[in-house]
Amino acid sequence: MLAFSIVEDTTMRLPLLLPLLAVGACASPLPPADPQQAWVELYASPGYTLMAHKLDDQQTRDGRYFQVAPGAHELQVRFQFEVAGGGGGEFSSEPVEMTCHLRFRYDGFAAGQRYRIEARPLQYKAQGWLYGEGRQVLARAGVVRCSTFWVAVR
């Protein structure tokens, strides 16, 4: 009985701790940009979440940016947004939380340059662009997959 209450107590506290950990991660300052690498910032409109997910098929350590060596790379981001109504059946009016994984392939990353990834929803899918310093489009995202928010996506 005692062991059950300890497990139950830990299980109940975990959902309370996760938002605090997320806020702590976002509150820490970004590291300085390495002039020997390219810096890729992420941008999504308020209310949406855009996070770095994978660099060259390896999980990223910090979801707020990419820092890459010069040359060719594949970047994957996770984009979360709501779609108004209709997700739970034909009579549902509840918004649906979507998670889309987008892939960018670009072979011209240059040391010391800054790049920007932007994403926006397109119904139950998403669109994304990789921009250079002059806002020129360098790559368009390919959609890896989109699913409802609560489905685990690896």
Side-chain angles (χ1 to χ4, degrees):
M1 183 75 170
L2 179 58
F4 177 74
S5 66
I6 292 171
V7 170
E8 182 179 59
D9 188 47
T10 303
T11 305
M12 292 178 69
R13 288 183 186 190
L14 185 59
L16 297 174
L17 290 175
L18 289 176
L20 293 175
L21 293 173
V23 168
C26 292
S28 65
L30 289 172
D34 180 346
Q36 302 301 312
Q37 297 194 47
W39 183 274
V40 183
E41 69 177 17
L42 306 174
Y43 175 80
S45 296
Y48 302 138
T49 303
L50 181 63
M51 301 289 291
H53 183 61
K54 290 183 179 182
L55 170 61
D56 298 327
D57 212 26
Q58 298 295 314
Q59 197 81 27
T60 58
R61 297 172 118 202
D62 190 327
R64 299 174 294 168
Y65 66 94
F66 289 102
Q67 191 161 242
V68 302
H73 293 285
E74 179 179 295
L75 301 106
Q76 243 186 71
V77 297
R78 186 176 59 243
F79 182 47
Q80 295 176 317
F81 57 95
E82 277 189 359
V83 177
E90 66 184 84
F91 300 110
S92 176
S93 63
E94 293 294 317
V96 176
E97 296 277 340
M98 297 297 298
T99 299
C100 290
H101 285 242
L102 305 174
R103 176 186 298 130
F104 297 87
R105 291 184 176 127
Y106 181 62
D107 61 1
F109 286 106
Q113 296 293 307
R114 290 192 168 265
Y115 301 87
R116 180 174 170 131
I117 289 177
E118 294 184 10
R120 71 175 183 202
L122 183 65
Q123 283 298 88
Y124 293 94
K125 296 281 184 195
Q127 296 177 312
W129 300 268
L130 172 66
Y131 293 101
E133 286 188 339
R135 290 254 336 138
Q136 71 275 24
V137 175
L138 303 174
R140 296 186 193 288
V143 176
V144 176
R145 70 182 152 271
C146 290
S147 60
T148 54
F149 181 72
W150 54 269
V151 174
V153 178
R154 293 182 188 233

